[in-house]
Amino acid sequence: MRPFSRLRRRLETPSKRRAAALAALSLVLVTVALVGFVSANESTVTIDERTPERNTLVGLQGYHDEGRVLELAPDGTVVWEYTAVENVFDVESLGPDRVQIAGADAVPDEQCPARYRDDGTRGCVHNTVRIVNQETNETQWQYGWYDVERHEHELHDVDRYTADGEARWVLADMGNDRVFAVNRSGAIQWQWNANATYDPPADVGPEDDWTHLNDVDKVGEGRFQVSLRNFDTVVELRVGNDGTVAVEPLVGPNRFTPNSSAGPLFAQHNPDRLADGHLLVADSENDRIVEFENGTPVWTAGGSARLDWPRDADRLATGNTLVVDSYNDRIVELDGSGEAVWAVETGRLPYDADRIPRNGSGEGSRSEPTADAQGFDPGTNETSSLRDTVAYGLTLLRYSIPNWVDTWGLLVGGLLCGVAAVVEGRRLGR
């Protein structure tokens, strides 16, 4: 009983450290709760120097299963919302009133296939790509599969294309370190497994994340561009008529680079091939957008004081670049000098954004030229300020809080800690 006696005596004795710790914890919890309440509100335009002419489609990953798809008017008004997927990643407009959505849902063990039901991991994940009618929110087509767990096993990207006169979809299967294509009936047309080209590290288990394969795009006949995030590398797959696949590295060291950058990219997302052959990449851990020509950077924008973990960048027909600024919970449009001309706060950890063109079909990146190097503002690479550091810390805290702790729970807990800090302070004053 001695340990409990010591604990009781310590709690009975007033402590400046305890009062300060309770006050600090109260401040953090209340701040995170207030940020949560704000992020749950309607999207808000924060920069409007050059209002876009058309709507923007946004995929929100969500911090705790509150992911969704939004279509935003230029003034930030939500004109359409889809909430049937817990974590949304890739979104694409396929034409009037048709949206393609890739995402993931956590599933309880009792609803998982037998192989994942009693595997020692709580629940499983159901990855899906679906085409949704915006007028009715009905699913017109869907393909999906189950995996062992959601973390690092989600479906982050899908690209729809046509081959042999039929629709096909190529998918980035992160959990199985593979890229594969299916037709409308779900039959696999071809696939490439990363371990067919690369040797996994010796200490990597069957469910460990060693490639973090997070993006795939068709860039030509039988040619598919793939992002290997944990390699800091973008490669091109060349698929033969017999299904054989050759791999050509485009940018990066072309090997597993754990926890550090070994080249011009650091844990990138959503590389886009521009029509002039350039490569536009959200260089996420470097907090910048970078454009390459034959592996050499020719344009960059951002820096840790401007962007915080960007995960998507599209070159628009105007020459501007539409960026998903994930940890800042916003979508921002940059001009050729890297300055923000339009931005909208969305909350809920955005992942992907597409500007919807006049004909309604997906626009993606265009062939617009890079910014004039002489006109680039070097200030866009300035270092992070204290405010940005605090905001980053709050975002990480909100992302790591368990699912069962909701915003009201954080607020109540913060207020209780504040009351306890006041009580402790009064005890010290006696």
Side-chain angles (χ1 to χ4, degrees), residues 316-370:
L316 303 176
T318 61
N320 289 348
T321 302
L322 187 68
V323 177
V324 175
D325 192 8
S326 288
Y327 274 164
N328 282 325
D329 282 335
R330 68 172 186 163
I331 311 300
V332 58
E333 185 174 329
L334 307 178
D335 66 13
S337 67
E339 292 296 327
V341 296
W342 181 78
V344 56
E345 292 186 354
T346 63
R348 300 187 176 96
L349 196 64
Y351 184 88
D352 187 38
D354 285 305
R355 181 65 45 76
I356 300 176
R358 289 183 177 85
N359 64 6
S361 61
E363 179 177 29
S365 287
R366 299 289 293 269
S367 59
E368 306 308 315
T370 59

Side-chain angles (χ1 to χ4, degrees), residues 145-162:
W145 71 95
Y146 291 86
D147 209 334
V148 62
E149 62 180 336
R150 179 165 54 185
H151 182 59
E152 296 173 340
H153 291 71
E154 310 102 329
L155 170 62
H156 277 206
D157 192 49
V158 178
D159 198 21
R160 183 180 184 273
Y161 67 102
T162 301

Side-chain angles (χ1 to χ4, degrees), residues 365-386:
S365 287
R366 299 289 293 269
S367 59
E368 306 308 315
T370 59
D372 181 9
Q374 299 301 317
F376 176 66
D377 176 11
T380 57
N381 285 319
E382 60 195 55
T383 57
S384 176
S385 66
L386 177 61

Side-chain angles (χ1 to χ4, degrees), residues 52-66:
E53 296 181 357
R54 301 186 300 279
N55 292 355
T56 303
L57 196 64
V58 180
L60 302 176
Q61 178 180 350
Y63 290 97
H64 295 296
D65 303 336
E66 81 280 20

Side-chain angles (χ1 to χ4, degrees), residues 103 126-130 141-146 155 171 180 182 186:
H126 188 212
N127 292 308
T128 58
V129 54
R130 63 188 69 189
W141 178 83
Q142 178 172 311
Y143 176 85
W145 71 95
Y146 291 86
L155 170 62
L171 304 98
F180 69 103
V182 298

